[in-house]
Amino acid sequence: MSRSKLCLIAVLVAVSAAACTTTTGGTASPSTTDSAATGSTPADPEVPKVAAPLDAGKYVGDTCAIVPKDVLSSLRYTDAGEYKAQGDTVLTEAGPSCLWKLRGEGIGLSVSLGTGSRDKGAGGLAGIYAGYRQGKYIRFLERAPEVEGYPAVYFDAQDERSMGSCGLGVGIADDLTFDVYAQGYQGQDDSCAAATQVASSVIKTLKGA
């Protein structure tokens, strides 16, 4: 399994953020209009707001540590994760990330922090909604159940949940998300359950639980 496949969500966010001039408040929502957000406009009421922002700064330099080892073990990930710092390539500009794989099984998951998208003024769930509105890189967007009380969306280049790939973006501030991408699983329930379990553990880690 290629790293590029597992980091698809980070790529989608990075590319759409680079192309989007939306301010942090955002203007996009999943609708039939094809107009792209340009300039500073009022916040879109359909973009979920984050009532209790969390600080992920501690994990920018060590994103692999944001998922507890016992959670990874319960999902059969026993090898150390592969950390990738925020950079200026298509795989790294959205923010730092960590990738875990199950060797020889074609299964893996990644977690990325959207600090790069935030720095570009296209962070948070508003940035994902804006990318969906543009329709160039994010063509699937659906509200997901809240994760530990934080708003979340499923998103991807296309809906591949039935094929075992699930991308989950969770808003931890109005201008910051973290994204979990589970790939190579049996189907929607399997892949999204893994992504949600990891996302839940990330929230608990950030809360210091």
Side-chain angles (χ1 to χ4, degrees):
M1 179 190 306
S2 66
R3 177 183 173 84
S4 60
K5 178 60 177 176
L6 279 170
C7 291
L8 175 60
I9 293 298
V11 173
L12 292 173
V13 175
V15 175
S16 62
C20 181
T21 58
T22 308
T23 57
T24 302
T27 60
S29 64
S31 66
T32 57
T33 180
D34 59 0
S35 61
T38 57
S40 178
T41 56
D44 188 327
E46 291 198 35
V47 178
K49 306 296 286 185
V50 177
L54 296 172
D55 181 8
K58 176 181 177 180
Y59 298 95
V60 169
D62 187 11
T63 308
C64 295
I66 205 168
V67 183
K69 291 183 178 179
D70 62 331
V71 173
L72 292 168
S73 295
S74 71
L75 294 169
R76 301 191 297 121
Y77 293 99
T78 56
D79 292 344
E82 178 188 350
Y83 170 74
K84 199 74 172 180
Q86 181 178 328
D88 56 6
T89 70
V90 70
L91 285 176
T92 61
E93 61 182 338
S97 63
C98 189
L99 166 69
W100 295 269
K101 298 179 183 179
L102 294 181
R103 293 184 182 180
E105 296 190 40
I107 297 174
L109 64 84
S110 64
V111 173
S112 62
L113 297 175
T115 52
S117 296
R118 178 187 61 189
D119 294 345
K120 293 176 183 296
L125 292 176
I128 296 176
Y129 274 65
Y132 173 80
R133 171 71 64 82
Q134 292 168 5
K136 294 176 65 177
Y137 305 103
I138 300 175
R139 299 187 181 92
F140 165 67
L141 177 64
E142 181 181 296
R143 286 284 288 271
E146 289 188 345
V147 178
E148 301 294 330
Y150 286 79
V153 295
Y154 298 118
F155 74 108
D156 208 331
Q158 60 184 14
D159 187 0
E160 295 188 343
R161 292 174 297 175
S162 64
M163 295 180 280
S165 295
C166 186
L168 180 67
V170 183
I172 52 175
D174 287 339
D175 63 350
L176 182 64
T177 64
F178 70 86
D179 309 315
V180 182
Y181 188 56
Q183 196 265 340
Y185 286 81
Q186 293 299 311
Q188 177 172 330
D189 291 344
D190 195 23
S191 60
C192 290
T196 300
Q197 182 178 344
V198 170
S200 176
S201 75
V202 169
I203 295 293
K204 291 176 181 177
T205 296
L206 294 178
K207 286 182 175 180

